[in-house]
Amino acid sequence: MDSIIFTVGMTLLWGIAGITAVGLPYCPTNRSLKARKTFLLWTGGAALLLSALWYTAIVGRLVTSGWLFVEGTVKALIPLTLLPQLYLASTILPKLKSLRESGGEPPTQTALRTVARPSVALSFLAAALASGISAFGTVFAQPVLPGPVEIVRRFMLVALLLIVPAIWARRRYLRIIRGEQLQRGFAARLLKFAFASMLSFAVAIAILVFNVLVGVNASKLPEASDMMNHDRIDEGGGTATRMSGGSPNHHQHHSNHPAGTVEVAALTGTISDPADVTFELVAQRKKITLASGAVVDAWTYNGEIAPELRVKHGDMVEVKLINQDIDSGVTIHWHGYNVPNAMDGVPGMTQNIVKPGQSFTYKFRADQEGTYWFHSHQQAAEQVVKGLFGALIVEPKQDAEAFDEQFTVINHRWTTDQGYKHAFGNQDAVQWKQVKPGQKVKLRLINTHNLSQKYLLQGTDFRIESIDGMRIRNPQPLSDQTALRLGSGGRYDVTFTMPNHPVYFKLGDYNNDSNPGIVFYADTFPEKPVFRAESALFDPSDYGRPVANEVTAAKTFDREFRLILGNEMGFYNGKFHFLWTINGEVYPRVPTLVVQEGDTVKTTFVNKSLAEHPMHLHGHHMTVLKKNGGKVKTPWVTDTLNVLPGESYEVAFVADNPGMWMDHCHNLGHAATGMILHLMYDNVRSSYEAGARSGNLPD
Ligand code: C2O
Ligand code: CU
C-alpha cells in the first residue's frame, strides 16, 4: 500500500519537475529562471525523499516477509529508478543550484547553455518514466522472478519513450549554442510541444499495440495439449529426471515401475477387486428451492444439493457417473482423496469428459477415513458454483466413533432468483436441532465456496478433531470465543458435548443476520440466537500434538519448488483479464513440476498478490512445516492450504502416488484464468488431451 503511494507520488513529482525543466531555457529573465530553479530543487528534493521512503519500505518488507517478497522489485524496479535519480542528485540538481543569476535582465548565454543541456530535461523525464513504470508495476504487474530480459526490457521502454524528447532537446540545444533566439511566443511553443508530445504518444501507442498483439496471441490456449509444459519443466533442483534426459528413478526400491514408463490410463489401482459399496450419480439440471423459497437453477448430481456418499474405511467404492443433460460434459474429482491417478476426474489429464448420455465408473479403495467432498472438474468455476458437488464421508471401520449425533455442514453460495444466498445444504436460514444434554456432537464442515469462510460456534467449548480429513492428535478444547476460518475446499471436523443450554453455530460475522446458522437446543425451544464478536481465530499451526511423519523428519529434500503467487493485468486465452499468476505466469506457461516416484518434495508458497489463494494439490496430502519463514509449532496435514496475501508457507510431501496431478488455486475463478500448474511423475506418460478440440476443459 505504502509502495503504491510512494511510487505514484514520485511519478507526479518527477513529472511536474520534468515539465518545469523542459521550460527552463524559455525564461525571459534571470529572476524567473531563479524562481523555476528553486521550484525544481524543491520538487526534486521531495521526489528523492519519497523514493528514499519507498526503498525503506522495501527493506522493511524484506525484513518482515523475506527476500522472495521483494526480489522482483529489487531486481527490476529499483535499478530503473535509482539510475536517473542518482544522476539527478549527484549532477543535475547541484548544477542547477550553482546558477547564480538574478535580476530583471535576460539570462546569460552561459546560464542558457547550462539549463538547455539535453541531459537536464531528459534526466527529469527519465526519472518520471521510471517512477511511472514502477507505480504501474506495483499496482498491476509486480515483477516476480525477473530474468535479465525482463529487467532490460523496462530500461528499453524508458529509452524508447525518450527518443523523441531527446531529438528535440538536442536540436534546441544546438540552436542555443549557435546563438539563435528560441521562440518565446506562447502559441508557437504550444504548437511545438503538441507536435513533440504527439510523436512521443505515437511511440507509446506503438509499443502498447505491439505488446497487446503479442500478449493476445501468446495467451491463446492450444486447441489440444497433453497439459504438460514441455518447454518449461521445473525439477526443483533435484537430480535430472527422464524428462530432461536423466536416468530413471533413483528410488527403485520404492517403485512399482522401476524401469519402464506407465500411462495415466493404466494407473487404476486395485480396480479388479470386488466393490463393497456402489453408488450412481446422475448429473442433471434441476430447479432447487432453498428453505427461504429462493430458487436456484442448479446443476446437480441426482437432482440434489450436495448428495452424501457414506462408506466405511477400507471399502472398495464404486461410483457410476451418468451425464443426463450437462452439455459441456462432467467428471467427478475426489477432493482430498488420494485415489489412483486414473480415478482423479480431471478431464484431459486423467479421463475424457462424460458427455450427455455417457457414463464413467470410478472405483477406488476408501483408505482414508474422514470428511471429504467431490465435485466436477470440467469447467469447475461454472459447474461447482452451480452445484455439481457432494460430500464423501468415510466412517471408521468399527463403529467406534465417539459421538452420538453428527451433521454434515456443507456450505455454498448459490446464485438464486433473489440474488446470492449462502446456505448449509439447502438451508439458507437458521435451523433448529434438538440434542440431549451430555451427547457428543460432531459437525463436519465443508467449504465449497470460492472464498474462505468464517464460522462461529458459541455456547460451549469445542475441539477441532480433524483438518481436511486428517485427525489431530490430542486436540485441546477451544473457547467459544474462537472463530474458525476454512479456505475454499477445506474441511474441519468439530466436536462438542451438548450442555443444558443452547449452542449456536453460524457462518460469517456475528452480526450478519442473513447468513445460515444452526441452533442446537436441549429442552426448551430457544429464542433467536445471539452471537458475540469472537476474540480469537483458530490457528492450526499451534494446535494439538504436532504431526510426525517422513517429511517432518526429513533434513533435506530431493526436490524443492518455489511457487510465487502474484497478480498482473494481462491476457488469458486471448482475452484481457486481471490475472492471478504463479511464478509470473498463467497456464499453460507455468512450469510443470517434475518428480520421481519416492522423492521427498518441498514446496514454498509465497503470496505477493492482493488476494488469498487456497492452494490445492491433487493426489497427495501436504504437511505444513513453516509459516512466514518460521517453523510452525504443530506441523499439520492438509490438501488445501489457504495462503493469505503477505504470507509464505513451506509444505512437503512424499511423491508416492504416480501420475499427472493438478496443483491449483481452489478459488475456481482464479483457476479458470490460469492459476493452475501440474505435478508430473517422470515415469508417467499422458493418455488424454485437453483443449477445445476434445472439449476437455479442466479448470
Ligand atoms: Cu477440489 Cu482440483 O479441485
Ligand atoms: Cu487464487
Side-chain angles (χ1 to χ4, degrees), residues 409-441:
V409 181
I410 186 163
N411 68 273
H412 193 67
R413 192 188 74 174
W414 298 99
T415 313
T416 76
D417 57 347
Q418 300 170 22
Y420 291 130
K421 298 258 184 202
H422 285 276
F424 296 150
N426 59 357
Q427 298 291 322
D428 55 344
V430 177
Q431 322 167 50
W432 275 267
K433 306 225 187 247
Q434 193 168 20
V435 177
K436 288 202 194 74
Q439 298 235 297
K440 200 166 167 209
V441 180

PDB file of all heavy atoms in Angstrom, residues 409-441:
ATOM      1  N   VAL A 409     -22.077 -30.228   7.481  1.00  0.00           N
ATOM      2  CA  VAL A 409     -22.434 -28.827   7.237  1.00  0.00           C
ATOM      3  C   VAL A 409     -21.640 -28.381   6.018  1.00  0.00           C
ATOM      4  O   VAL A 409     -20.483 -28.004   6.114  1.00  0.00           O
ATOM      5  CB  VAL A 409     -22.101 -27.951   8.457  1.00  0.00           C
ATOM      6  CG1 VAL A 409     -22.508 -26.514   8.194  1.00  0.00           C
ATOM      7  CG2 VAL A 409     -22.788 -28.490   9.703  1.00  0.00           C
ATOM      8  N   ILE A 410     -22.262 -28.504   4.877  1.00  0.00           N
ATOM      9  CA  ILE A 410     -21.554 -28.181   3.627  1.00  0.00           C
ATOM     10  C   ILE A 410     -22.096 -26.841   3.151  1.00  0.00           C
ATOM     11  O   ILE A 410     -23.278 -26.697   2.867  1.00  0.00           O
ATOM     12  CB  ILE A 410     -21.696 -29.350   2.605  1.00  0.00           C
ATOM     13  CG1 ILE A 410     -20.870 -29.125   1.345  1.00  0.00           C
ATOM     14  CG2 ILE A 410     -23.134 -29.645   2.266  1.00  0.00           C
ATOM     15  CD1 ILE A 410     -20.653 -30.414   0.529  1.00  0.00           C
ATOM     16  N   ASN A 411     -21.233 -25.832   3.183  1.00  0.00           N
ATOM     17  CA  ASN A 411     -21.762 -24.502   2.854  1.00  0.00           C
ATOM     18  C   ASN A 411     -21.370 -24.095   1.437  1.00  0.00           C
ATOM     19  O   ASN A 411     -20.315 -24.461   0.930  1.00  0.00           O
ATOM     20  CB  ASN A 411     -21.288 -23.454   3.860  1.00  0.00           C
ATOM     21  CG  ASN A 411     -19.810 -23.195   3.760  1.00  0.00           C
ATOM     22  OD1 ASN A 411     -19.022 -23.889   4.398  1.00  0.00           O
ATOM     23  ND2 ASN A 411     -19.413 -22.211   2.967  1.00  0.00           N
ATOM     24  N   HIS A 412     -22.286 -23.360   0.829  1.00  0.00           N
ATOM     25  CA  HIS A 412     -22.105 -22.959  -0.558  1.00  0.00           C
ATOM     26  C   HIS A 412     -22.812 -21.635  -0.760  1.00  0.00           C
ATOM     27  O   HIS A 412     -23.737 -21.304  -0.030  1.00  0.00           O
ATOM     28  CB  HIS A 412     -22.738 -24.026  -1.472  1.00  0.00           C
ATOM     29  CG  HIS A 412     -22.343 -23.881  -2.916  1.00  0.00           C
ATOM     30  ND1 HIS A 412     -21.055 -24.092  -3.341  1.00  0.00           N
ATOM     31  CD2 HIS A 412     -23.053 -23.547  -4.026  1.00  0.00           C
ATOM     32  CE1 HIS A 412     -20.999 -23.894  -4.651  1.00  0.00           C
ATOM     33  NE2 HIS A 412     -22.188 -23.558  -5.092  1.00  0.00           N
ATOM     34  N   ARG A 413     -22.343 -20.881  -1.745  1.00  0.00           N
ATOM     35  CA  ARG A 413     -23.056 -19.654  -2.088  1.00  0.00           C
ATOM     36  C   ARG A 413     -23.789 -19.888  -3.391  1.00  0.00           C
ATOM     37  O   ARG A 413     -23.176 -20.175  -4.418  1.00  0.00           O
ATOM     38  CB  ARG A 413     -22.095 -18.482  -2.232  1.00  0.00           C
ATOM     39  CG  ARG A 413     -22.852 -17.152  -2.283  1.00  0.00           C
ATOM     40  CD  ARG A 413     -21.958 -16.005  -2.617  1.00  0.00           C
ATOM     41  NE  ARG A 413     -21.605 -16.032  -4.037  1.00  0.00           N
ATOM     42  CZ  ARG A 413     -20.905 -15.063  -4.634  1.00  0.00           C
ATOM     43  NH1 ARG A 413     -20.491 -14.026  -3.944  1.00  0.00           N
ATOM     44  NH2 ARG A 413     -20.624 -15.162  -5.915  1.00  0.00           N
ATOM     45  N   TRP A 414     -25.101 -19.777  -3.339  1.00  0.00           N
ATOM     46  CA  TRP A 414     -25.935 -20.047  -4.503  1.00  0.00           C
ATOM     47  C   TRP A 414     -26.330 -18.761  -5.206  1.00  0.00           C
ATOM     48  O   TRP A 414     -26.562 -17.739  -4.564  1.00  0.00           O
ATOM     49  CB  TRP A 414     -27.209 -20.785  -4.075  1.00  0.00           C
ATOM     50  CG  TRP A 414     -26.917 -22.110  -3.459  1.00  0.00           C
ATOM     51  CD1 TRP A 414     -26.870 -22.390  -2.124  1.00  0.00           C
ATOM     52  CD2 TRP A 414     -26.600 -23.317  -4.139  1.00  0.00           C
ATOM     53  NE1 TRP A 414     -26.533 -23.701  -1.938  1.00  0.00           N
ATOM     54  CE2 TRP A 414     -26.365 -24.303  -3.148  1.00  0.00           C
ATOM     55  CE3 TRP A 414     -26.488 -23.686  -5.482  1.00  0.00           C
ATOM     56  CZ2 TRP A 414     -26.020 -25.613  -3.462  1.00  0.00           C
ATOM     57  CZ3 TRP A 414     -26.157 -24.989  -5.789  1.00  0.00           C
ATOM     58  CH2 TRP A 414     -25.925 -25.938  -4.793  1.00  0.00           C
ATOM     59  N   THR A 415     -26.433 -18.857  -6.509  1.00  0.00           N
ATOM     60  CA  THR A 415     -26.991 -17.760  -7.281  1.00  0.00           C
ATOM     61  C   THR A 415     -28.472 -18.068  -7.451  1.00  0.00           C
ATOM     62  O   THR A 415     -28.814 -19.050  -8.111  1.00  0.00           O
ATOM     63  CB  THR A 415     -26.309 -17.676  -8.651  1.00  0.00           C
ATOM     64  OG1 THR A 415     -24.905 -17.765  -8.444  1.00  0.00           O
ATOM     65  CG2 THR A 415     -26.647 -16.383  -9.363  1.00  0.00           C
ATOM     66  N   THR A 416     -29.326 -17.283  -6.825  1.00  0.00           N
ATOM     67  CA  THR A 416     -30.762 -17.594  -6.866  1.00  0.00           C
ATOM     68  C   THR A 416     -31.517 -16.481  -7.568  1.00  0.00           C
ATOM     69  O   THR A 416     -30.938 -15.447  -7.917  1.00  0.00           O
ATOM     70  CB  THR A 416     -31.348 -17.728  -5.445  1.00  0.00           C
ATOM     71  OG1 THR A 416     -31.508 -16.408  -4.895  1.00  0.00           O
ATOM     72  CG2 THR A 416     -30.435 -18.536  -4.537  1.00  0.00           C
ATOM     73  N   ASP A 417     -32.820 -16.703  -7.739  1.00  0.00           N
ATOM     74  CA  ASP A 417     -33.652 -15.653  -8.333  1.00  0.00           C
ATOM     75  C   ASP A 417     -33.757 -14.451  -7.407  1.00  0.00           C
ATOM     76  O   ASP A 417     -34.260 -13.410  -7.797  1.00  0.00           O
ATOM     77  CB  ASP A 417     -35.043 -16.206  -8.690  1.00  0.00           C
ATOM     78  CG  ASP A 417     -35.742 -16.811  -7.476  1.00  0.00           C
ATOM     79  OD1 ASP A 417     -35.074 -17.019  -6.431  1.00  0.00           O
ATOM     80  OD2 ASP A 417     -36.954 -17.075  -7.571  1.00  0.00           O
ATOM     81  N   GLN A 418     -33.289 -14.604  -6.161  1.00  0.00           N
ATOM     82  CA  GLN A 418     -33.298 -13.453  -5.241  1.00  0.00           C
ATOM     83  C   GLN A 418     -31.880 -12.991  -4.927  1.00  0.00           C
ATOM     84  O   GLN A 418     -31.638 -12.405  -3.882  1.00  0.00           O
ATOM     85  CB  GLN A 418     -34.012 -13.834  -3.938  1.00  0.00           C
ATOM     86  CG  GLN A 418     -35.458 -14.251  -4.165  1.00  0.00           C
ATOM     87  CD  GLN A 418     -36.075 -14.856  -2.916  1.00  0.00           C
ATOM     88  OE1 GLN A 418     -35.624 -14.623  -1.801  1.00  0.00           O
ATOM     89  NE2 GLN A 418     -37.118 -15.650  -3.118  1.00  0.00           N
ATOM     90  N   GLY A 419     -30.958 -13.293  -5.788  1.00  0.00           N
ATOM     91  CA  GLY A 419     -29.567 -12.869  -5.561  1.00  0.00           C
ATOM     92  C   GLY A 419     -28.753 -13.969  -4.898  1.00  0.00           C
ATOM     93  O   GLY A 419     -29.198 -15.112  -4.801  1.00  0.00           O
ATOM     94  N   TYR A 420     -27.559 -13.614  -4.449  1.00  0.00           N
ATOM     95  CA  TYR A 420     -26.691 -14.604  -3.816  1.00  0.00           C
ATOM     96  C   TYR A 420     -27.228 -15.008  -2.449  1.00  0.00           C
ATOM     97  O   TYR A 420     -27.673 -14.153  -1.680  1.00  0.00           O
ATOM     98  CB  TYR A 420     -25.288 -14.030  -3.606  1.00  0.00           C
ATOM     99  CG  TYR A 420     -24.527 -13.806  -4.883  1.00  0.00           C
ATOM    100  CD1 TYR A 420     -23.909 -12.583  -5.131  1.00  0.00           C
ATOM    101  CD2 TYR A 420     -24.401 -14.819  -5.830  1.00  0.00           C
ATOM    102  CE1 TYR A 420     -23.194 -12.368  -6.294  1.00  0.00           C
ATOM    103  CE2 TYR A 420     -23.684 -14.625  -6.998  1.00  0.00           C
ATOM    104  CZ  TYR A 420     -23.081 -13.390  -7.226  1.00  0.00           C
ATOM    105  OH  TYR A 420     -22.372 -13.188  -8.372  1.00  0.00           O
ATOM    106  N   LYS A 421     -27.170 -16.304  -2.155  1.00  0.00           N
ATOM    107  CA  LYS A 421     -27.572 -16.792  -0.827  1.00  0.00           C
ATOM    108  C   LYS A 421     -26.557 -17.822  -0.361  1.00  0.00           C
ATOM    109  O   LYS A 421     -26.287 -18.796  -1.073  1.00  0.00           O
ATOM    110  CB  LYS A 421     -28.938 -17.510  -0.910  1.00  0.00           C
ATOM    111  CG  LYS A 421     -30.069 -16.633  -1.352  1.00  0.00           C
ATOM    112  CD  LYS A 421     -30.901 -16.211  -0.169  1.00  0.00           C
ATOM    113  CE  LYS A 421     -32.107 -15.412  -0.657  1.00  0.00           C
ATOM    114  NZ  LYS A 421     -32.643 -14.575   0.405  1.00  0.00           N
ATOM    115  N   HIS A 422     -26.036 -17.610   0.850  1.00  0.00           N
ATOM    116  CA  HIS A 422     -25.214 -18.643   1.465  1.00  0.00           C
ATOM    117  C   HIS A 422     -26.141 -19.644   2.137  1.00  0.00           C
ATOM    118  O   HIS A 422     -27.169 -19.254   2.689  1.00  0.00           O
ATOM    119  CB  HIS A 422     -24.287 -18.037   2.518  1.00  0.00           C
ATOM    120  CG  HIS A 422     -23.128 -17.297   1.924  1.00  0.00           C
ATOM    121  ND1 HIS A 422     -21.979 -17.941   1.527  1.00  0.00           N
ATOM    122  CD2 HIS A 422     -22.943 -15.988   1.636  1.00  0.00           C
ATOM    123  CE1 HIS A 422     -21.133 -17.050   1.042  1.00  0.00           C
ATOM    124  NE2 HIS A 422     -21.697 -15.849   1.078  1.00  0.00           N
ATOM    125  N   ALA A 423     -25.776 -20.926   2.072  1.00  0.00           N
ATOM    126  CA  ALA A 423     -26.634 -21.930   2.701  1.00  0.00           C
ATOM    127  C   ALA A 423     -25.806 -23.105   3.183  1.00  0.00           C
ATOM    128  O   ALA A 423     -24.712 -23.358   2.677  1.00  0.00           O
ATOM    129  CB  ALA A 423     -27.687 -22.418   1.702  1.00  0.00           C
ATOM    130  N   PHE A 424     -26.331 -23.801   4.209  1.00  0.00           N
ATOM    131  CA  PHE A 424     -25.815 -25.115   4.583  1.00  0.00           C
ATOM    132  C   PHE A 424     -26.710 -26.110   3.850  1.00  0.00           C
ATOM    133  O   PHE A 424     -27.886 -26.226   4.178  1.00  0.00           O
ATOM    134  CB  PHE A 424     -25.925 -25.346   6.095  1.00  0.00           C
ATOM    135  CG  PHE A 424     -25.090 -24.405   6.931  1.00  0.00           C
ATOM    136  CD1 PHE A 424     -25.495 -24.042   8.207  1.00  0.00           C
ATOM    137  CD2 PHE A 424     -23.878 -23.905   6.454  1.00  0.00           C
ATOM    138  CE1 PHE A 424     -24.723 -23.194   8.995  1.00  0.00           C
ATOM    139  CE2 PHE A 424     -23.099 -23.053   7.231  1.00  0.00           C
ATOM    140  CZ  PHE A 424     -23.525 -22.693   8.506  1.00  0.00           C
ATOM    141  N   GLY A 425     -26.199 -26.811   2.874  1.00  0.00           N
ATOM    142  CA  GLY A 425     -27.071 -27.639   2.043  1.00  0.00           C
ATOM    143  C   GLY A 425     -28.081 -26.727   1.377  1.00  0.00           C
ATOM    144  O   GLY A 425     -27.710 -25.771   0.707  1.00  0.00           O
ATOM    145  N   ASN A 426     -29.399 -27.012   1.627  1.00  0.00           N
ATOM    146  CA  ASN A 426     -30.395 -26.111   1.032  1.00  0.00           C
ATOM    147  C   ASN A 426     -30.990 -25.172   2.084  1.00  0.00           C
ATOM    148  O   ASN A 426     -31.979 -24.498   1.846  1.00  0.00           O
ATOM    149  CB  ASN A 426     -31.502 -26.913   0.343  1.00  0.00           C
ATOM    150  CG  ASN A 426     -32.202 -27.847   1.310  1.00  0.00           C
ATOM    151  OD1 ASN A 426     -31.820 -27.926   2.491  1.00  0.00           O
ATOM    152  ND2 ASN A 426     -33.209 -28.550   0.827  1.00  0.00           N
ATOM    153  N   GLN A 427     -30.367 -25.137   3.274  1.00  0.00           N
ATOM    154  CA  GLN A 427     -30.888 -24.316   4.372  1.00  0.00           C
ATOM    155  C   GLN A 427     -30.185 -22.964   4.371  1.00  0.00           C
ATOM    156  O   GLN A 427     -29.045 -22.864   4.794  1.00  0.00           O
ATOM    157  CB  GLN A 427     -30.648 -25.020   5.706  1.00  0.00           C
ATOM    158  CG  GLN A 427     -31.344 -26.360   5.829  1.00  0.00           C
ATOM    159  CD  GLN A 427     -32.856 -26.236   5.916  1.00  0.00           C
ATOM    160  OE1 GLN A 427     -33.384 -25.323   6.545  1.00  0.00           O
ATOM    161  NE2 GLN A 427     -33.556 -27.161   5.257  1.00  0.00           N
ATOM    162  N   ASP A 428     -30.879 -21.953   3.888  1.00  0.00           N
ATOM    163  CA  ASP A 428     -30.246 -20.635   3.814  1.00  0.00           C
ATOM    164  C   ASP A 428     -30.695 -19.730   4.952  1.00  0.00           C
ATOM    165  O   ASP A 428     -30.496 -18.532   4.908  1.00  0.00           O
ATOM    166  CB  ASP A 428     -30.489 -19.989   2.450  1.00  0.00           C
ATOM    167  CG  ASP A 428     -31.951 -19.898   2.094  1.00  0.00           C
ATOM    168  OD1 ASP A 428     -32.761 -20.592   2.735  1.00  0.00           O
ATOM    169  OD2 ASP A 428     -32.290 -19.131   1.183  1.00  0.00           O
ATOM    170  N   ALA A 429     -31.325 -20.324   5.988  1.00  0.00           N
ATOM    171  CA  ALA A 429     -31.686 -19.525   7.161  1.00  0.00           C
ATOM    172  C   ALA A 429     -31.259 -20.305   8.403  1.00  0.00           C
ATOM    173  O   ALA A 429     -30.476 -21.223   8.309  1.00  0.00           O
ATOM    174  CB  ALA A 429     -33.186 -19.269   7.161  1.00  0.00           C
ATOM    175  N   VAL A 430     -31.814 -19.928   9.544  1.00  0.00           N
ATOM    176  CA  VAL A 430     -31.433 -20.632  10.775  1.00  0.00           C
ATOM    177  C   VAL A 430     -32.243 -21.921  10.893  1.00  0.00           C
ATOM    178  O   VAL A 430     -33.442 -21.946  10.635  1.00  0.00           O
ATOM    179  CB  VAL A 430     -31.666 -19.723  11.998  1.00  0.00           C
ATOM    180  CG1 VAL A 430     -31.333 -20.471  13.282  1.00  0.00           C
ATOM    181  CG2 VAL A 430     -30.816 -18.473  11.873  1.00  0.00           C
ATOM    182  N   GLN A 431     -31.566 -23.016  11.271  1.00  0.00           N
ATOM    183  CA  GLN A 431     -32.256 -24.279  11.521  1.00  0.00           C
ATOM    184  C   GLN A 431     -32.180 -24.581  13.013  1.00  0.00           C
ATOM    185  O   GLN A 431     -31.266 -24.161  13.689  1.00  0.00           O
ATOM    186  CB  GLN A 431     -31.592 -25.462  10.807  1.00  0.00           C
ATOM    187  CG  GLN A 431     -31.056 -25.204   9.432  1.00  0.00           C
ATOM    188  CD  GLN A 431     -30.153 -26.348   8.987  1.00  0.00           C
ATOM    189  OE1 GLN A 431     -30.499 -27.522   9.069  1.00  0.00           O
ATOM    190  NE2 GLN A 431     -28.965 -26.004   8.511  1.00  0.00           N
ATOM    191  N   TRP A 432     -33.136 -25.360  13.507  1.00  0.00           N
ATOM    192  CA  TRP A 432     -33.158 -25.764  14.922  1.00  0.00           C
ATOM    193  C   TRP A 432     -32.992 -27.272  15.015  1.00  0.00           C
ATOM    194  O   TRP A 432     -33.660 -28.017  14.297  1.00  0.00           O
ATOM    195  CB  TRP A 432     -34.467 -25.339  15.570  1.00  0.00           C
ATOM    196  CG  TRP A 432     -34.423 -23.920  16.062  1.00  0.00           C
ATOM    197  CD1 TRP A 432     -34.092 -23.505  17.319  1.00  0.00           C
ATOM    198  CD2 TRP A 432     -34.698 -22.731  15.323  1.00  0.00           C
ATOM    199  NE1 TRP A 432     -34.148 -22.142  17.405  1.00  0.00           N
ATOM    200  CE2 TRP A 432     -34.516 -21.634  16.201  1.00  0.00           C
ATOM    201  CE3 TRP A 432     -35.080 -22.468  14.002  1.00  0.00           C
ATOM    202  CZ2 TRP A 432     -34.705 -20.315  15.810  1.00  0.00           C
ATOM    203  CZ3 TRP A 432     -35.260 -21.171  13.605  1.00  0.00           C
ATOM    204  CH2 TRP A 432     -35.073 -20.100  14.501  1.00  0.00           C
ATOM    205  N   LYS A 433     -32.082 -27.718  15.878  1.00  0.00           N
ATOM    206  CA  LYS A 433     -31.883 -29.158  16.054  1.00  0.00           C
ATOM    207  C   LYS A 433     -31.883 -29.470  17.545  1.00  0.00           C
ATOM    208  O   LYS A 433     -31.157 -28.838  18.311  1.00  0.00           O
ATOM    209  CB  LYS A 433     -30.549 -29.597  15.457  1.00  0.00           C
ATOM    210  CG  LYS A 433     -30.377 -29.188  14.015  1.00  0.00           C
ATOM    211  CD  LYS A 433     -29.825 -30.320  13.177  1.00  0.00           C
ATOM    212  CE  LYS A 433     -29.497 -29.837  11.776  1.00  0.00           C
ATOM    213  NZ  LYS A 433     -30.369 -30.439  10.761  1.00  0.00           N
ATOM    214  N   GLN A 434     -32.690 -30.485  17.914  1.00  0.00           N
ATOM    215  CA  GLN A 434     -32.747 -30.856  19.329  1.00  0.00           C
ATOM    216  C   GLN A 434     -31.705 -31.932  19.619  1.00  0.00           C
ATOM    217  O   GLN A 434     -31.616 -32.927  18.896  1.00  0.00           O
ATOM    218  CB  GLN A 434     -34.132 -31.373  19.679  1.00  0.00           C
ATOM    219  CG  GLN A 434     -34.320 -31.467  21.182  1.00  0.00           C
ATOM    220  CD  GLN A 434     -35.767 -31.706  21.554  1.00  0.00           C
ATOM    221  OE1 GLN A 434     -36.576 -32.169  20.742  1.00  0.00           O
ATOM    222  NE2 GLN A 434     -36.116 -31.387  22.795  1.00  0.00           N
ATOM    223  N   VAL A 435     -30.906 -31.694  20.661  1.00  0.00           N
ATOM    224  CA  VAL A 435     -29.875 -32.648  21.054  1.00  0.00           C
ATOM    225  C   VAL A 435     -29.933 -32.787  22.572  1.00  0.00           C
ATOM    226  O   VAL A 435     -30.036 -31.792  23.282  1.00  0.00           O
ATOM    227  CB  VAL A 435     -28.468 -32.147  20.639  1.00  0.00           C
ATOM    228  CG1 VAL A 435     -27.386 -33.115  21.117  1.00  0.00           C
ATOM    229  CG2 VAL A 435     -28.378 -31.967  19.132  1.00  0.00           C
ATOM    230  N   LYS A 436     -29.870 -34.045  23.056  1.00  0.00           N
ATOM    231  CA  LYS A 436     -29.933 -34.252  24.518  1.00  0.00           C
ATOM    232  C   LYS A 436     -28.656 -33.759  25.175  1.00  0.00           C
ATOM    233  O   LYS A 436     -27.567 -33.980  24.658  1.00  0.00           O
ATOM    234  CB  LYS A 436     -30.091 -35.735  24.812  1.00  0.00           C
ATOM    235  CG  LYS A 436     -31.452 -36.290  24.481  1.00  0.00           C
ATOM    236  CD  LYS A 436     -31.687 -37.585  25.283  1.00  0.00           C
ATOM    237  CE  LYS A 436     -32.873 -38.338  24.727  1.00  0.00           C
ATOM    238  NZ  LYS A 436     -32.536 -38.991  23.421  1.00  0.00           N
ATOM    239  N   PRO A 437     -28.776 -33.117  26.340  1.00  0.00           N
ATOM    240  CA  PRO A 437     -27.575 -32.684  27.052  1.00  0.00           C
ATOM    241  C   PRO A 437     -26.665 -33.882  27.323  1.00  0.00           C
ATOM    242  O   PRO A 437     -27.144 -34.990  27.551  1.00  0.00           O
ATOM    243  CB  PRO A 437     -28.118 -32.122  28.374  1.00  0.00           C
ATOM    244  CG  PRO A 437     -29.548 -31.833  28.128  1.00  0.00           C
ATOM    245  CD  PRO A 437     -30.015 -32.769  27.070  1.00  0.00           C
ATOM    246  N   GLY A 438     -25.372 -33.639  27.249  1.00  0.00           N
ATOM    247  CA  GLY A 438     -24.404 -34.709  27.502  1.00  0.00           C
ATOM    248  C   GLY A 438     -24.036 -35.480  26.246  1.00  0.00           C
ATOM    249  O   GLY A 438     -23.065 -36.230  26.227  1.00  0.00           O
ATOM    250  N   GLN A 439     -24.799 -35.317  25.176  1.00  0.00           N
ATOM    251  CA  GLN A 439     -24.476 -36.037  23.943  1.00  0.00           C
ATOM    252  C   GLN A 439     -23.303 -35.363  23.252  1.00  0.00           C
ATOM    253  O   GLN A 439     -23.114 -34.152  23.328  1.00  0.00           O
ATOM    254  CB  GLN A 439     -25.681 -36.030  23.003  1.00  0.00           C
ATOM    255  CG  GLN A 439     -26.859 -36.722  23.597  1.00  0.00           C
ATOM    256  CD  GLN A 439     -27.387 -37.819  22.714  1.00  0.00           C
ATOM    257  OE1 GLN A 439     -27.839 -37.553  21.614  1.00  0.00           O
ATOM    258  NE2 GLN A 439     -27.294 -39.046  23.180  1.00  0.00           N
ATOM    259  N   LYS A 440     -22.510 -36.196  22.559  1.00  0.00           N
ATOM    260  CA  LYS A 440     -21.366 -35.651  21.852  1.00  0.00           C
ATOM    261  C   LYS A 440     -21.750 -35.403  20.396  1.00  0.00           C
ATOM    262  O   LYS A 440     -22.266 -36.280  19.724  1.00  0.00           O
ATOM    263  CB  LYS A 440     -20.181 -36.606  21.941  1.00  0.00           C
ATOM    264  CG  LYS A 440     -18.896 -35.881  21.658  1.00  0.00           C
ATOM    265  CD  LYS A 440     -17.662 -36.643  22.052  1.00  0.00           C
ATOM    266  CE  LYS A 440     -16.474 -35.941  21.420  1.00  0.00           C
ATOM    267  NZ  LYS A 440     -15.377 -36.834  21.127  1.00  0.00           N
ATOM    268  N   VAL A 441     -21.535 -34.187  19.946  1.00  0.00           N
ATOM    269  CA  VAL A 441     -21.970 -33.781  18.607  1.00  0.00           C
ATOM    270  C   VAL A 441     -20.752 -33.562  17.730  1.00  0.00           C
ATOM    271  O   VAL A 441     -19.745 -32.993  18.166  1.00  0.00           O
ATOM    272  CB  VAL A 441     -22.792 -32.475  18.677  1.00  0.00           C
ATOM    273  CG1 VAL A 441     -23.250 -32.046  17.299  1.00  0.00           C
ATOM    274  CG2 VAL A 441     -23.976 -32.645  19.614  1.00  0.00           C
TER     275      VAL A 441
END
